[in-house]
Amino acid sequence: MILVIGAIASGKKDYVRSLGYSPEAMSDALDDSHPVLIDLEKLVDADPDNCMQLLPDLLKKEVVVCCEVGSGVIPAVRRDRESREATGRLCIALAKKAERVIRLVAGIPVVIKS
Amino acid sequence: MNVLLTGGSACGKSTYAEKLAVQFGGYLYYIAAMQPYGEESERRIEKHRCMRAEKGFTTIERYTNLKELTLPERGTVLLECLCNLTANEMFDDGGAGENTVSEVLLGIESLEKQCDNLVVVTNDVGSDGGGYDRLTMDYVNTLGEINCRLAKRFENVYELICGIPLLIKGELL
């Protein structure tokens, strides 16, 4: 599994396309028919408390794309803090198992782990 | 040896900082700047305390006025974290107020003189476009300035991403 992270509009999906995946290969739903999962942070936000349960299915994907949401001022709303924390923890768990971790910076893929 | 660790929330800074401190060895101090302010933070503090259990850290809770802290012995110090220390100095009664930048930096200098290795954890609070009220923006600017000034003179600066250290300055230890 390749974990692709980066800020909003940093070029994550373009990078995934450059790996040979069409937009049809990408989905934000955790089903069996798409090799690429995008917008992981939204999936986590739907149920932050139970997001670690997504891990086995995420590891079956070829590519997982997640927005980096942990930077900036810590949110005043508890639910927002928990969602951010849950996303970070899940990404740490994914990065541990991933063959590669790529971070997009202004459209440039930076290798974090390979 | 000194190391500054930065990164967003839940990027693995604490775990990595502890690993680094244990690797440096000697007498291990954990200086905790986070004040308990309710059930959520108590849970966080408890989580961090458990993570340090059996690793041999002596925990010192220090919320302000770091420069007056005296360590009983030399060794390795892990200071966590500047985002809390800065907020405490800025907003607590008895904190440094408008002198926060110099007080925090003096506190860290004082620690450096008393230990062999220092690991400092900070946070990347300036990376979301801002637009907050004046008080919050003062805080973002103050912590940003402290981070810049520390990174300038620290030997090693790493950014943690998904639990993986990315070298910004110095070398990966």
Side-chain angles (χ1 to χ4, degrees), chain A residues 3-108:
Chain A
L3 177 63
V4 178
I5 55 166
I8 295 167
S10 58
K12 297 185 292 297
K13 281 174 211 158
D14 282 345
Y15 172 72
V16 175
R17 274 200 283 274
S18 81
L19 297 176
Y21 295 98
S22 67
E24 291 72 38
M26 306 179 198
S27 170
D28 59 3
L30 200 49
D31 53 32
D32 292 334
S33 52
H34 300 84
V36 181
L37 179 103
I38 56 170
D39 299 338
L40 175 62
E41 74 284 358
K42 289 177 189 157
L43 204 59
V44 173
D45 193 52
D47 187 7
D49 287 347
N50 296 308
C51 75
M52 277 299 167
Q53 292 169 11
L54 304 173
L55 193 57
D57 285 336
L58 289 168
L59 291 171
K60 288 181 198 154
K61 293 283 173 189
E62 293 174 29
V63 182
V64 174
V65 182
C66 187
C67 198
E68 286 187 279
V69 295
S71 292
V73 172
I74 294 154
V77 177
R78 179 175 175 164
R79 175 67 170 63
D80 295 347
R81 282 197 295 275
E82 287 174 349
S83 176
R84 234 164 73 119
E85 293 263 331
T87 306
R89 280 194 296 274
L90 184 57
C91 280
I92 292 172
L94 284 169
K96 237 178 222 169
K97 302 268 186 186
E99 292 148 41
R100 267 188 285 165
V101 180
I102 305 290
R103 182 201 216 184
L104 271 293
V105 179
I108 297 170

Side-chain angles (χ1 to χ4, degrees), chain A residues 70 72 78 81 84-85 103, chain B residues 9 40 43-44 124 159:
Chain A
R78 179 175 175 164
R81 282 197 295 275
R84 234 164 73 119
E85 293 263 331
R103 182 201 216 184
Chain B
S9 292
E40 183 192 354
R43 214 157 18 94
R44 277 192 74 93
D124 179 21
E159 180 184 6

